[in-house]
Amino acid sequence: MTQFLLHPQLAADTTLIGEFPLCQVLLANDGNFPWLILVPKVNGITEFHELTDEQQAQFLIESNTVSRLLKDRLSADKINIAALGNMVPQLHIHHVARFKEDACWPKPIWGQLPPISRTPQQAAQLITMISTTLKAGFISESN
């Protein structure tokens, strides 16, 4: 079996939180929004339809788990889910918690604000909350 390779841009722009059976769970390094990215651990794919039917079903389970976490634990008003891939061709699906009070509401987040860094404490708190919540539903920790 070939080792999964994460696109270098995704590796540079995110922090690995853990793994589901199909996807890596990444936290975007942008403190403007709680923003998770699921990356199927399948090399060489760029589109969702390239996943097998079984992988698509597994992705839906994992995506729903992440969406529920963001919605319920953060009291998000809306969860935006998108797979753009115009800049990074590797299939990756964004899950962004949106709030009526956020700086971009109701517009899309892309290109609206420059990214900001989280403090180490903010990052640690968010990562702990996400990984602790997801562990209850079959995620394995990174490292």
Side-chain angles (χ1 to χ4, degrees):
M1 184 172 184
T2 306
Q3 181 179 0
F4 172 69
L5 299 173
L6 184 64
H7 189 281
Q9 192 64 56
L10 285 171
D13 292 345
T14 64
T15 301
L16 178 64
I17 295 178
E19 297 189 0
F20 283 119
L22 178 65
C23 295
Q24 287 190 342
V25 181
L26 309 174
L27 175 65
N29 296 336
D30 183 350
N32 286 306
F33 306 96
W35 182 347
L36 297 177
I37 301 171
L38 293 181
V39 183
K41 297 177 283 187
V42 180
N43 289 320
I45 62 168
T46 60
E47 304 294 341
F48 187 76
H49 69 266
E50 295 173 323
L51 295 171
T52 66
D53 290 346
E54 293 80 15
Q55 290 168 331
Q56 290 178 27
Q58 181 62 38
F59 174 80
L60 186 58
I61 292 167
E62 295 174 13
S63 177
N64 285 341
T65 301
V66 166
S67 296
R68 281 188 196 105
L69 175 145
L70 292 172
K71 179 88 170 155
D72 297 346
R73 292 296 309 268
L74 300 176
S75 299
D77 293 306
K78 180 76 176 109
I79 305 301
N80 290 172
I81 300 174
L84 303 175
N86 298 344
M87 301 295 290
V88 175
Q90 182 175 43
L91 179 61
H92 61 288
I93 299 90
H94 302 267
H95 293 67
V96 184
R98 297 296 307 276
F99 304 89
K100 291 179 181 173
E101 309 81 40
D102 75 42
C104 294
W105 185 269
K107 297 177 185 172
I109 62 169
W110 283 273
Q112 301 291 323
L113 299 172
I116 60 171
S117 297
R118 292 179 183 91
T119 67
Q121 182 180 13
Q122 289 170 327
Q125 287 175 338
L126 188 57
I127 290 168
T128 298
M129 184 277 294
I130 292 167
S131 61
T132 300
T133 303
L134 291 179
K135 261 192 259 179
F138 69 79
I139 192 172
S140 63
E141 290 184 70
S142 60
N143 301 345

